[in-house]
Amino acid sequence: MRGIANIPDEEFDLVMDFMGYGRITTAIGARLRAGKRATWLHDDRMEWLHYPLPYLPRYDKVFCVSQAVKDSFTAKAPQYADKAEVMYNQVDVDAIRNKATAELTDSRFTGSNIILTLGRLEPQKGLDLPFRRPRFLVSRSPLPSLQASRNR
């Protein structure tokens, strides 16, 4: 691959690109020697779809995290409909509910409500929701003081 050093020359049984948006991981995954390749699509907003299209012929599966994502993908790239399959994110709903309702016993998490999120700042991540709908986050206690900060 032009401009990228140290691409392994060995053959892999499986290459999985969890980014799926045609970024560098998708391009490298398409170039690696592999028995099978899979990539993931995480949202149904497909304005970025032109980025991975050149690499998809080398992928065996395009996993979509919901039926809505698959429908959007196959509508915009019908030539890859046979590669598209829904694979839901595995979520332990009971564990999440138990943790959400359990009392906090760690002294680091007492006092003011502080929320930290790490991730890409992109619309599909919904980072604006706590600021537009704080009741979505807090239903049994007073509303927290929400503050946004940034590195300087």
Side-chain angles (χ1 to χ4, degrees):
M1 233 173 124
R2 190 178 52 168
I4 298 177
N6 301 322
I7 299 288
D9 190 38
E10 64 189 286
E11 182 162 350
F12 298 92
D13 295 320
L14 175 65
V15 168
M16 296 186 294
D17 167 35
F18 291 104
M19 185 68 126
Y21 297 103
R23 310 267 170 118
I24 192 74
T25 56
T26 310
I28 291 172
R31 297 285 197 264
L32 291 170
R33 293 186 321 129
K36 296 282 184 183
R37 289 179 188 80
T39 187
W40 268 255
L41 301 181
H42 303 274
D43 71 271
D44 58 354
R45 294 177 40 180
M46 299 279 171
E47 64 268 7
W48 46 263
L49 188 59
H50 61 281
Y51 293 119
L53 284 179
Y55 309 110
L56 292 184
R58 305 253 335 187
Y59 282 84
D60 300 288
K61 283 288 181 189
V62 177
F63 289 112
C64 304
V65 300
S66 70
Q67 187 63 48
V69 172
K70 181 182 177 188
D71 292 346
S72 182
F73 172 66
T74 57
K76 292 182 171 58
Q79 68 272 33
Y80 299 113
D82 62 322
K83 294 183 177 197
E85 186 175 320
V86 174
M87 182 184 286
Y88 296 104
N89 287 330
Q90 298 299 309
V91 177
D92 186 340
V93 175
D94 290 332
I96 292 170
R97 284 186 181 135
N98 289 337
K99 288 178 183 180
T101 58
E103 288 294 321
L104 292 175
T105 57
D106 189 325
S107 63
R108 295 175 299 168
F109 302 108
T110 60
S112 299
N113 294 309
I114 299 172
I115 299 170
L116 170 66
T117 182
L118 302 173
R120 298 186 325 271
L121 295 176
E122 298 197 32
Q124 68 264 29
K125 295 299 180 185
L127 294 175
D128 58 324
L129 288 177
F131 298 96
R132 288 195 285 141
R133 298 190 184 148
R135 285 184 186 88
F136 172 75
L137 293 175
V138 181
S139 60
R140 294 179 301 161
S141 62
L143 293 177
S145 171
L146 296 176
Q147 299 176 6
S149 64
R150 62 185 170 118
N151 290 337
R152 294 178 185 205

